[in-house]
Amino acid sequence: MNEPLEEEQICGGCDTIPDEDGCECREVLCCLCGEKDHIYNMENPLKDCDEWEFIPFCDKVDGFTCRCCYEEEEEEEDCMEEDEECI
Ligand SMILES: [Zn+2]
Ligand SMILES: [Zn+2]
C-alpha cells in the first residue's frame, strides 16, 4: 500500500498543513467583540502577507477579528479615504 503522505498531512477541514500550533480549524477570539470562531472564518490583517504560514501563532492570535468587525473597520477606512479625496 502506497498512501501519499502529503495528503495525510493536509487537514480536510481547512486545507492547510497543521503545524505545532494546529491548523486553521482551531478557534480564536475576535479581538474587538470576543466572538469565537475558526481561524478560517476570521479575518486578520496579516493574512494578506505572504508569510502568513510562517508567522508564529502567538503573533497572529491577538489580531483576529470576526467578519462583522472586519467589515465595519473596512467601511470606516473607506470613509476616511473619501474624505481625503474631497480635500
Ligand atoms: Zn484544519
Ligand atoms: Zn468581532
Side-chain angles (χ1 to χ4, degrees):
M1 290 292 204
N2 287 326
E3 293 196 9
L5 266 177
E6 280 175 33
E7 278 184 30
E8 276 182 61
Q9 288 168 355
I10 296 173
C11 171
C14 60
D15 281 337
T16 58
I17 299 169
D19 59 17
E20 61 206 19
D21 294 316
C23 64
E24 305 216 348
C25 295
R26 76 163 22 203
E27 287 184 310
V28 292
L29 294 176
C30 171
C31 65
L32 295 175
C33 71
E35 178 95 4
K36 198 178 184 188
D37 210 337
H38 305 289
I39 288 175
Y40 56 75
N41 282 333
M42 300 292 263
E43 301 292 342
N44 190 313
L46 296 172
K47 260 190 175 176
D48 295 330
C49 172
D50 290 340
E51 285 160 36
W52 168 255
E53 288 171 49
F54 306 105
I55 300 169
F57 182 74
C58 59
D59 288 347
K60 300 176 185 172
V61 71
D62 291 332
F64 285 106
T65 55
C66 67
R67 295 237 163 106
C68 293
C69 292
Y70 182 77
E71 279 164 21
E72 275 176 30
E73 287 216 321
E74 288 261 290
E75 280 170 24
E76 279 170 25
E77 278 173 26
D78 287 348
C79 291
M80 283 167 69
E81 277 170 25
E82 277 169 28
D83 287 345
E84 280 171 22
E85 277 169 26
C86 289
I87 300 164

